[in-house]
Amino acid sequence: SQKIEQNSEALNIQEGKTATLTCNYTNYSPAYLQWYRQDPGRGPVFLLLIRENEKEKRKERLKVTFDTTLKQSLFHITASQPADSATYLCARYNAGNMLTFGGGTRLMVKP
Amino acid sequence: NAGVTQTPKFRVLKTGQSMTLLCAQDMNHEYMYWYRQDPGMGLRLIHYSVGEGTTAKGEVPDGYNVSRLKKQNFLLGLESAAPSQTSVYFCASSYGDPTEAFFGQGTRLTVV
């Protein structure tokens, strides 16, 4: 089966620094990878989608990369703020429109 | 603009009891999903539906059943609840690959 793995350890960084989160996948490369943000007690909210043939995608302070050789996507938040503290999840569609998620990485940005 | 609505928000069940969780979406999405989320873990797919009247098993389907009689509704049933089913349940819907999924606010279920 197609799996997505994220670093389960929380990432603690100082305000103003760049946060980098990793998403690794197994087997065949998905055509797309998605990234979501989840705040405590709430459902995930979609942030970005990156296509297999896109090296990089940006949205304001967010940047996502997709490396099919390493089977990895990196999610960056530049100039991080305490309000960026949340759990970030990556996701992919598998065959039959089965949408699966990684375990998520909790980000804590300290002032 | 309701989006995805889950009912109920909280529920406590005794072991062996049954219940149904309701998910309703108003975006005319074809695809709907049920996930469970346990502390420190990501979302695990229970069952999903690719259209009205169709359902499929996800990663952790045992102990659950689903039905999609109407396009806008996706029901998740627990026939005989077990403490291992204590979790937060999320419903989501989308237009399918590769579009974004929209999530409900979650249902916190405790089985004692």
mmCIF file with all atom_site columns, all heavy atoms in Angstrom, chain B residues 2-19:
data_model
loop_
_atom_site.group_PDB
_atom_site.id
_atom_site.type_symbol
_atom_site.label_atom_id
_atom_site.label_alt_id
_atom_site.label_comp_id
_atom_site.label_asym_id
_atom_site.label_entity_id
_atom_site.label_seq_id
_atom_site.pdbx_PDB_ins_code
_atom_site.Cartn_x
_atom_site.Cartn_y
_atom_site.Cartn_z
_atom_site.occupancy
_atom_site.B_iso_or_equiv
_atom_site.pdbx_formal_charge
_atom_site.auth_seq_id
_atom_site.auth_comp_id
_atom_site.auth_asym_id
_atom_site.auth_atom_id
_atom_site.pdbx_PDB_model_num
ATOM 1   N N   . ALA B 1 2  ? -22.490 26.330 4.963  1.00 0.00 ? 2  ALA B N   1
ATOM 2   C CA  . ALA B 1 2  ? -22.190 25.409 6.047  1.00 0.00 ? 2  ALA B CA  1
ATOM 3   C C   . ALA B 1 2  ? -20.949 24.572 5.757  1.00 0.00 ? 2  ALA B C   1
ATOM 4   O O   . ALA B 1 2  ? -20.186 24.276 6.652  1.00 0.00 ? 2  ALA B O   1
ATOM 5   C CB  . ALA B 1 2  ? -23.384 24.505 6.306  1.00 0.00 ? 2  ALA B CB  1
ATOM 6   N N   . GLY B 1 3  ? -20.723 24.123 4.519  1.00 0.00 ? 3  GLY B N   1
ATOM 7   C CA  . GLY B 1 3  ? -19.569 23.274 4.225  1.00 0.00 ? 3  GLY B CA  1
ATOM 8   C C   . GLY B 1 3  ? -19.857 21.842 4.631  1.00 0.00 ? 3  GLY B C   1
ATOM 9   O O   . GLY B 1 3  ? -20.771 21.209 4.107  1.00 0.00 ? 3  GLY B O   1
ATOM 10  N N   . VAL B 1 4  ? -19.084 21.320 5.576  1.00 0.00 ? 4  VAL B N   1
ATOM 11  C CA  . VAL B 1 4  ? -19.239 19.956 6.070  1.00 0.00 ? 4  VAL B CA  1
ATOM 12  C C   . VAL B 1 4  ? -19.665 20.020 7.527  1.00 0.00 ? 4  VAL B C   1
ATOM 13  O O   . VAL B 1 4  ? -18.982 20.651 8.337  1.00 0.00 ? 4  VAL B O   1
ATOM 14  C CB  . VAL B 1 4  ? -17.935 19.147 5.937  1.00 0.00 ? 4  VAL B CB  1
ATOM 15  C CG1 . VAL B 1 4  ? -18.133 17.735 6.481  1.00 0.00 ? 4  VAL B CG1 1
ATOM 16  C CG2 . VAL B 1 4  ? -17.469 19.116 4.487  1.00 0.00 ? 4  VAL B CG2 1
ATOM 17  N N   . THR B 1 5  ? -20.789 19.394 7.831  1.00 0.00 ? 5  THR B N   1
ATOM 18  C CA  . THR B 1 5  ? -21.332 19.424 9.181  1.00 0.00 ? 5  THR B CA  1
ATOM 19  C C   . THR B 1 5  ? -21.426 18.020 9.743  1.00 0.00 ? 5  THR B C   1
ATOM 20  O O   . THR B 1 5  ? -21.962 17.127 9.091  1.00 0.00 ? 5  THR B O   1
ATOM 21  C CB  . THR B 1 5  ? -22.727 20.057 9.186  1.00 0.00 ? 5  THR B CB  1
ATOM 22  O OG1 . THR B 1 5  ? -22.649 21.367 8.610  1.00 0.00 ? 5  THR B OG1 1
ATOM 23  C CG2 . THR B 1 5  ? -23.266 20.167 10.603 1.00 0.00 ? 5  THR B CG2 1
ATOM 24  N N   . GLN B 1 6  ? -20.907 17.834 10.957 1.00 0.00 ? 6  GLN B N   1
ATOM 25  C CA  . GLN B 1 6  ? -20.958 16.533 11.616 1.00 0.00 ? 6  GLN B CA  1
ATOM 26  C C   . GLN B 1 6  ? -21.900 16.601 12.816 1.00 0.00 ? 6  GLN B C   1
ATOM 27  O O   . GLN B 1 6  ? -21.920 17.590 13.548 1.00 0.00 ? 6  GLN B O   1
ATOM 28  C CB  . GLN B 1 6  ? -19.572 16.118 12.106 1.00 0.00 ? 6  GLN B CB  1
ATOM 29  C CG  . GLN B 1 6  ? -18.598 15.806 11.005 1.00 0.00 ? 6  GLN B CG  1
ATOM 30  C CD  . GLN B 1 6  ? -17.254 15.353 11.545 1.00 0.00 ? 6  GLN B CD  1
ATOM 31  O OE1 . GLN B 1 6  ? -16.213 15.849 11.137 1.00 0.00 ? 6  GLN B OE1 1
ATOM 32  N NE2 . GLN B 1 6  ? -17.261 14.382 12.457 1.00 0.00 ? 6  GLN B NE2 1
ATOM 33  N N   . THR B 1 7  ? -22.643 15.527 13.006 1.00 0.00 ? 7  THR B N   1
ATOM 34  C CA  . THR B 1 7  ? -23.555 15.412 14.144 1.00 0.00 ? 7  THR B CA  1
ATOM 35  C C   . THR B 1 7  ? -23.400 14.041 14.771 1.00 0.00 ? 7  THR B C   1
ATOM 36  O O   . THR B 1 7  ? -23.404 13.026 14.059 1.00 0.00 ? 7  THR B O   1
ATOM 37  C CB  . THR B 1 7  ? -25.008 15.576 13.679 1.00 0.00 ? 7  THR B CB  1
ATOM 38  O OG1 . THR B 1 7  ? -25.125 16.735 12.869 1.00 0.00 ? 7  THR B OG1 1
ATOM 39  C CG2 . THR B 1 7  ? -25.946 15.691 14.851 1.00 0.00 ? 7  THR B CG2 1
ATOM 40  N N   . PRO B 1 8  ? -23.262 13.910 16.113 1.00 0.00 ? 8  PRO B N   1
ATOM 41  C CA  . PRO B 1 8  ? -23.134 14.989 17.094 1.00 0.00 ? 8  PRO B CA  1
ATOM 42  C C   . PRO B 1 8  ? -21.694 15.459 17.221 1.00 0.00 ? 8  PRO B C   1
ATOM 43  O O   . PRO B 1 8  ? -20.807 14.920 16.559 1.00 0.00 ? 8  PRO B O   1
ATOM 44  C CB  . PRO B 1 8  ? -23.592 14.295 18.381 1.00 0.00 ? 8  PRO B CB  1
ATOM 45  C CG  . PRO B 1 8  ? -23.085 12.891 18.219 1.00 0.00 ? 8  PRO B CG  1
ATOM 46  C CD  . PRO B 1 8  ? -23.249 12.576 16.743 1.00 0.00 ? 8  PRO B CD  1
ATOM 47  N N   . LYS B 1 9  ? -21.447 16.423 18.087 1.00 0.00 ? 9  LYS B N   1
ATOM 48  C CA  . LYS B 1 9  ? -20.090 16.903 18.347 1.00 0.00 ? 9  LYS B CA  1
ATOM 49  C C   . LYS B 1 9  ? -19.414 16.076 19.433 1.00 0.00 ? 9  LYS B C   1
ATOM 50  O O   . LYS B 1 9  ? -18.181 15.904 19.420 1.00 0.00 ? 9  LYS B O   1
ATOM 51  C CB  . LYS B 1 9  ? -20.109 18.366 18.762 1.00 0.00 ? 9  LYS B CB  1
ATOM 52  C CG  . LYS B 1 9  ? -20.505 19.318 17.651 1.00 0.00 ? 9  LYS B CG  1
ATOM 53  C CD  . LYS B 1 9  ? -20.382 20.758 18.093 1.00 0.00 ? 9  LYS B CD  1
ATOM 54  C CE  . LYS B 1 9  ? -20.648 21.716 16.953 1.00 0.00 ? 9  LYS B CE  1
ATOM 55  N NZ  . LYS B 1 9  ? -21.952 21.549 16.315 1.00 0.00 ? 9  LYS B NZ  1
ATOM 56  N N   . PHE B 1 10 ? -20.167 15.598 20.380 1.00 0.00 ? 10 PHE B N   1
ATOM 57  C CA  . PHE B 1 10 ? -19.654 14.790 21.483 1.00 0.00 ? 10 PHE B CA  1
ATOM 58  C C   . PHE B 1 10 ? -20.623 13.645 21.752 1.00 0.00 ? 10 PHE B C   1
ATOM 59  O O   . PHE B 1 10 ? -21.828 13.803 21.579 1.00 0.00 ? 10 PHE B O   1
ATOM 60  C CB  . PHE B 1 10 ? -19.501 15.597 22.782 1.00 0.00 ? 10 PHE B CB  1
ATOM 61  C CG  . PHE B 1 10 ? -18.642 16.802 22.662 1.00 0.00 ? 10 PHE B CG  1
ATOM 62  C CD1 . PHE B 1 10 ? -19.203 18.038 22.384 1.00 0.00 ? 10 PHE B CD1 1
ATOM 63  C CD2 . PHE B 1 10 ? -17.274 16.712 22.837 1.00 0.00 ? 10 PHE B CD2 1
ATOM 64  C CE1 . PHE B 1 10 ? -18.401 19.168 22.270 1.00 0.00 ? 10 PHE B CE1 1
ATOM 65  C CE2 . PHE B 1 10 ? -16.478 17.830 22.737 1.00 0.00 ? 10 PHE B CE2 1
ATOM 66  C CZ  . PHE B 1 10 ? -17.036 19.058 22.448 1.00 0.00 ? 10 PHE B CZ  1
ATOM 67  N N   . ARG B 1 11 ? -20.067 12.497 22.202 1.00 0.00 ? 11 ARG B N   1
ATOM 68  C CA  . ARG B 1 11 ? -20.944 11.394 22.575 1.00 0.00 ? 11 ARG B CA  1
ATOM 69  C C   . ARG B 1 11 ? -20.173 10.445 23.479 1.00 0.00 ? 11 ARG B C   1
ATOM 70  O O   . ARG B 1 11 ? -18.976 10.210 23.275 1.00 0.00 ? 11 ARG B O   1
ATOM 71  C CB  . ARG B 1 11 ? -21.410 10.645 21.330 1.00 0.00 ? 11 ARG B CB  1
ATOM 72  C CG  . ARG B 1 11 ? -22.417 9.556  21.578 1.00 0.00 ? 11 ARG B CG  1
ATOM 73  C CD  . ARG B 1 11 ? -23.790 10.085 21.907 1.00 0.00 ? 11 ARG B CD  1
ATOM 74  N NE  . ARG B 1 11 ? -24.696 9.021  22.304 1.00 0.00 ? 11 ARG B NE  1
ATOM 75  C CZ  . ARG B 1 11 ? -25.484 8.357  21.473 1.00 0.00 ? 11 ARG B CZ  1
ATOM 76  N NH1 . ARG B 1 11 ? -25.494 8.658  20.184 1.00 0.00 ? 11 ARG B NH1 1
ATOM 77  N NH2 . ARG B 1 11 ? -26.256 7.399  21.914 1.00 0.00 ? 11 ARG B NH2 1
ATOM 78  N N   . VAL B 1 12 ? -20.877 9.955  24.495 1.00 0.00 ? 12 VAL B N   1
ATOM 79  C CA  . VAL B 1 12 ? -20.311 8.921  25.358 1.00 0.00 ? 12 VAL B CA  1
ATOM 80  C C   . VAL B 1 12 ? -21.176 7.679  25.208 1.00 0.00 ? 12 VAL B C   1
ATOM 81  O O   . VAL B 1 12 ? -22.408 7.747  25.342 1.00 0.00 ? 12 VAL B O   1
ATOM 82  C CB  . VAL B 1 12 ? -20.269 9.371  26.832 1.00 0.00 ? 12 VAL B CB  1
ATOM 83  C CG1 . VAL B 1 12 ? -19.710 8.244  27.706 1.00 0.00 ? 12 VAL B CG1 1
ATOM 84  C CG2 . VAL B 1 12 ? -19.430 10.622 27.001 1.00 0.00 ? 12 VAL B CG2 1
ATOM 85  N N   . LEU B 1 13 ? -20.558 6.561  24.928 1.00 0.00 ? 13 LEU B N   1
ATOM 86  C CA  . LEU B 1 13 ? -21.262 5.294  24.747 1.00 0.00 ? 13 LEU B CA  1
ATOM 87  C C   . LEU B 1 13 ? -20.767 4.268  25.753 1.00 0.00 ? 13 LEU B C   1
ATOM 88  O O   . LEU B 1 13 ? -19.603 4.322  26.169 1.00 0.00 ? 13 LEU B O   1
ATOM 89  C CB  . LEU B 1 13 ? -20.991 4.723  23.349 1.00 0.00 ? 13 LEU B CB  1
ATOM 90  C CG  . LEU B 1 13 ? -21.718 5.268  22.135 1.00 0.00 ? 13 LEU B CG  1
ATOM 91  C CD1 . LEU B 1 13 ? -21.275 4.501  20.897 1.00 0.00 ? 13 LEU B CD1 1
ATOM 92  C CD2 . LEU B 1 13 ? -23.220 5.186  22.313 1.00 0.00 ? 13 LEU B CD2 1
ATOM 93  N N   . LYS B 1 14 ? -21.630 3.348  26.075 1.00 0.00 ? 14 LYS B N   1
ATOM 94  C CA  . LYS B 1 14 ? -21.190 2.205  26.868 1.00 0.00 ? 14 LYS B CA  1
ATOM 95  C C   . LYS B 1 14 ? -20.771 1.093  25.902 1.00 0.00 ? 14 LYS B C   1
ATOM 96  O O   . LYS B 1 14 ? -21.304 0.985  24.789 1.00 0.00 ? 14 LYS B O   1
ATOM 97  C CB  . LYS B 1 14 ? -22.310 1.720  27.769 1.00 0.00 ? 14 LYS B CB  1
ATOM 98  C CG  . LYS B 1 14 ? -22.674 2.708  28.864 1.00 0.00 ? 14 LYS B CG  1
ATOM 99  C CD  . LYS B 1 14 ? -23.742 2.142  29.776 1.00 0.00 ? 14 LYS B CD  1
ATOM 100 C CE  . LYS B 1 14 ? -24.062 3.131  30.892 1.00 0.00 ? 14 LYS B CE  1
ATOM 101 N NZ  . LYS B 1 14 ? -25.129 2.629  31.786 1.00 0.00 ? 14 LYS B NZ  1
ATOM 102 N N   . THR B 1 15 ? -19.836 0.281  26.350 1.00 0.00 ? 15 THR B N   1
ATOM 103 C CA  . THR B 1 15 ? -19.388 -0.844 25.535 1.00 0.00 ? 15 THR B CA  1
ATOM 104 C C   . THR B 1 15 ? -20.576 -1.683 25.096 1.00 0.00 ? 15 THR B C   1
ATOM 105 O O   . THR B 1 15 ? -21.448 -2.026 25.910 1.00 0.00 ? 15 THR B O   1
ATOM 106 C CB  . THR B 1 15 ? -18.399 -1.715 26.329 1.00 0.00 ? 15 THR B CB  1
ATOM 107 O OG1 . THR B 1 15 ? -17.252 -0.928 26.654 1.00 0.00 ? 15 THR B OG1 1
ATOM 108 C CG2 . THR B 1 15 ? -17.959 -2.913 25.514 1.00 0.00 ? 15 THR B CG2 1
ATOM 109 N N   . GLY B 1 16 ? -20.618 -1.973 23.792 1.00 0.00 ? 16 GLY B N   1
ATOM 110 C CA  . GLY B 1 16 ? -21.705 -2.784 23.253 1.00 0.00 ? 16 GLY B CA  1
ATOM 111 C C   . GLY B 1 16 ? -22.853 -1.990 22.660 1.00 0.00 ? 16 GLY B C   1
ATOM 112 O O   . GLY B 1 16 ? -23.656 -2.546 21.902 1.00 0.00 ? 16 GLY B O   1
ATOM 113 N N   . GLN B 1 17 ? -22.934 -0.715 22.974 1.00 0.00 ? 17 GLN B N   1
ATOM 114 C CA  . GLN B 1 17 ? -23.991 0.112  22.407 1.00 0.00 ? 17 GLN B CA  1
ATOM 115 C C   . GLN B 1 17 ? -23.677 0.427  20.949 1.00 0.00 ? 17 GLN B C   1
ATOM 116 O O   . GLN B 1 17 ? -22.536 0.340  20.497 1.00 0.00 ? 17 GLN B O   1
ATOM 117 C CB  . GLN B 1 17 ? -24.142 1.412  23.201 1.00 0.00 ? 17 GLN B CB  1
ATOM 118 C CG  . GLN B 1 17 ? -24.843 1.241  24.529 1.00 0.00 ? 17 GLN B CG  1
ATOM 119 C CD  . GLN B 1 17 ? -25.087 2.569  25.225 1.00 0.00 ? 17 GLN B CD  1
ATOM 120 O OE1 . GLN B 1 17 ? -24.252 3.475  25.197 1.00 0.00 ? 17 GLN B OE1 1
ATOM 121 N NE2 . GLN B 1 17 ? -26.246 2.683  25.862 1.00 0.00 ? 17 GLN B NE2 1
ATOM 122 N N   . SER B 1 18 ? -24.732 0.830  20.242 1.00 0.00 ? 18 SER B N   1
ATOM 123 C CA  . SER B 1 18 ? -24.544 1.207  18.842 1.00 0.00 ? 18 SER B CA  1
ATOM 124 C C   . SER B 1 18 ? -24.850 2.684  18.669 1.00 0.00 ? 18 SER B C   1
ATOM 125 O O   . SER B 1 18 ? -25.540 3.278  19.493 1.00 0.00 ? 18 SER B O   1
ATOM 126 C CB  . SER B 1 18 ? -25.460 0.374  17.951 1.00 0.00 ? 18 SER B CB  1
ATOM 127 O OG  . SER B 1 18 ? -26.813 0.654  18.252 1.00 0.00 ? 18 SER B OG  1
ATOM 128 N N   . MET B 1 19 ? -24.307 3.261  17.605 1.00 0.00 ? 19 MET B N   1
ATOM 129 C CA  . MET B 1 19 ? -24.634 4.646  17.289 1.00 0.00 ? 19 MET B CA  1
ATOM 130 C C   . MET B 1 19 ? -24.284 4.938  15.839 1.00 0.00 ? 19 MET B C   1
ATOM 131 O O   . MET B 1 19 ? -23.537 4.184  15.198 1.00 0.00 ? 19 MET B O   1
ATOM 132 C CB  . MET B 1 19 ? -23.890 5.618  18.202 1.00 0.00 ? 19 MET B CB  1
ATOM 133 C CG  . MET B 1 19 ? -22.458 5.875  17.855 1.00 0.00 ? 19 MET B CG  1
ATOM 134 S SD  . MET B 1 19 ? -21.841 7.402  18.637 1.00 0.00 ? 19 MET B SD  1
ATOM 135 C CE  . MET B 1 19 ? -22.792 8.659  17.779 1.00 0.00 ? 19 MET B CE  1
#
